[in-house]
Amino acid sequence: RFLRWAWRLTYLSVLASVGYVSYQVYDLHHPPDQTDPDPSKKNLVILGTGWGTVSLLKKLDTENYNVVVVSPRNYFLFTPLLPSCTVGTIEHRSIMEPIRNILRHKKANVKYYEAEATKIDYEKRIVYAKDESEIKGDVMETEIPFDMLVIGVGAENATFGIPGVREHACFLKEVNDAQKIRKQIMDCVETASFKDQSPDEIRRLLHMVVVGGGPTGVEFAGELQDFFMEDLQKWVPSIKDSFHVTLVEALPNVLPMFSKQLIEYTESSFKEEHIEIRTKTMVKNVTDKYIEAEIQKPDGSKGIEKIPYGLLVWATGNAVRPVVKDLMSQIPAQAKARRGLEVNEYMVVNGAENIWAVGDCAVANYAPTAQVAAQEGAFLARLFNTMAKTDAIEAEMRELSAKQANAKPDERKVILEEINERQRQLRRVKQIGAFSYSHQGSLAYIGAEKAVADVSWFSGNIASGGTMTYLFWKSAYLSMCFSTRNRILVCFDWVKAKFFGRDVSRE
Ligand code: FAD
Ligand code: NAI
């Protein structure tokens, strides 16, 4: 009897999944008819197609505004799985969602310009945009006026002005960074296998150095060692004894945002996986073949050490983008801001009217994570939908008041009742509170099919690490992927990597 019920339940859930996927596929191919822009409505300009702004676009009722999106990236990138793309566990297109798909499914037409905002003129309410893509038309630069502006341009890579970083290191923020790393890993391996290469040079070429022990650096180091253990050493056995991954961190430990036990777990797990961690090691200079780092010797004194490398990945956190810095310099209230645009509890840029900021470019006392950016974006969508409703109700009330002035006494009573009803609606609509962030926890993959998680549970916190946490990590990120299409592609990639191994060809 139990088996019969289990079978029925399985059958129903398979049927439901097939139905859901079929509906998603149908929906993808049948976007709705869209209404055209209405000049009487406000121009809402949105800068960026990242976590903050796409979350806003997803929930925004675009019929209420003339929405214009400006971003040099015509897709949304699911960054949590980007480290997996550097070694081919996941193909980069599986975690990209075209912005055109997202916008084409909105009720009202949304304009998209593939361009970079180069300057925001806060006084004149104009965004200056430049087409930075390879193919240029006659017009490459333009001005976009706005009534309302949302800035969600994220952050750029921090280098702290350390010489040689931009010239010689790879970053890990965008798809092309991941592609560059993937190519360079294989280039190092093939160059190290070149005839008559000296043992010292082989060791240098196969020394993979990651600078920055935050989650980006840790996840990448874990993925790279997996690639070596599971695939590379099988296909290129000659590199077996020389391939080596080192993680360099200036602070006394890696993953400072995780609890102490998970930091210890990660460090011991890296030791087992043969990933070297060099803490209290601050990189000061980068050349094409080695880095120079300030180290703390066992006696407490400091010294400089040269560390040769073949591949150098730089993951030392975020810095403010020039367009944001420039806007900060125009607003006196932002004079003391350093890490980005300071915003209030409604995500309004302090000292500016009708300009909002979300995600990594906004400073609202939260960590610069996807989780925060997505919640801020969703909050803004609610705020803008509410503001539009408020405007509509207020316009109706003005109309009714004018009608009431010329109405006969018996009609007046009915109109007054309608006005009161609108007032009640207005009070209900205006009840939207300030933004409040709900932290769901932190997750990071640490290699060898292990992950660490600090997850919020009611008012407490659960810290866990290991293979079960890795399965949780996988299912959590799979469920968070932008679309069903992304989810299916990521699953296929995982299965493909498991059965056939990762691809070691260099594109
Ligand atoms: P982004 O998502 O970076 O988007 C910025 C957008 O602005 C992009 O579309 C960009 O093209 C566009 N843009 C840039 N310049 C301009 C310009 N001048 N004009 C117009 N548009 C512009 N966070 C987590 O919570 N969990 C994770 O597991 C996690 N993993 C990560 C892994 C990696 C490898 C990285 C790099 C980050 C990870 N993060 C994670 C952090 C997370 O990705 C960021 O906090 C998040 O992307 C911030 O969202 P955002 O909308 O502010 O910016
Ligand atoms: P980070 O800011 O978290 O860590 C950078 C690390 O680099 C710091 O520990 C710092 O001490 C170190 N560092 C800086 N300069 C150095 C130098 N010269 N030499 C040696 N070490 C140096 O940066 P990361 O990892 O890029 O993350 C950026 C943001 O994205 C963070 O807010 C993070 O929480 C989020 N993120 C979250 C992930 C997750 O939740 N799984 C994954 C990746 C990023």
Side-chain angles (χ1 to χ4, degrees), residues 79-80 83 157-160 162 172-173 211-219 248-251 253-258 278 281-284 293 314-318 360 367-371 441-445 473 477:
T79 46
N157 294 293
T159 64
F160 308 103
I162 296 170
L172 182 49
K173 215 174 214 342
V211 181
T216 306
V218 166
E219 289 192 330
V248 177
E249 167 57 53
L251 297 175
N253 56 267
V254 297
L255 292 182
M257 67 290 293
F258 281 81
R278 302 278 308 258
T281 305
M282 183 183 272
V283 179
K284 297 276 186 179
W314 194 265
T316 61
N318 293 342
D360 287 2
T369 63
Q371 217 182 130
S442 306
L443 277 169
Y445 179 61
W473 173 87
Y477 281 149

Side-chain angles (χ1 to χ4, degrees), residues 84-91 179 181-183 185-187 189-190 227-228 230-232 235-236 493 496-507:
S84 302
C85 299
T86 57
V87 294
T89 314
I90 290 178
E91 294 299 332
Q179 286 172 304
I181 293 173
R182 195 170 169 185
K183 266 188 206 162
I185 297 169
M186 287 322 298
D187 203 356
V189 170
E190 298 300 358
F227 181 36
F228 169 66
E230 292 165 19
D231 300 294
L232 269 180
W235 310 127
V236 198
D493 289 343
K496 202 171 72 185
K498 198 86 203 155
F499 281 100
F500 304 111
R502 300 166 184 85
D503 192 339
V504 295
S505 48
R506 187 165 81 88
E507 278 174 79

Side-chain angles (χ1 to χ4, degrees), residues 47-53 70-73 75-77 79-83 115-118 152-155 172-174 216 219 318 321 323 358-361 368-373 443 473 477:
L47 305 183
T49 45
W51 276 95
T53 45
V70 181
S71 173
R73 205 171 76 185
Y75 55 88
F76 166 75
L77 178 66
T79 46
L81 293 179
L82 191 62
E116 217 169 271
T118 50
V153 297
L172 182 49
K173 215 174 214 342
E174 300 290 343
T216 306
E219 289 192 330
N318 293 342
R321 286 199 191 276
V323 65
V358 286
D360 287 2
C361 66
T369 63
Q371 217 182 130
V372 170
L443 277 169
W473 173 87
Y477 281 149

Side-chain angles (χ1 to χ4, degrees), residues 323-336:
V323 65
V324 173
K325 256 191 217 157
D326 177 75
L327 178 64
M328 282 156 65
S329 70
Q330 295 173 47
I331 304 172
Q334 298 284 336
K336 286 196 187 133

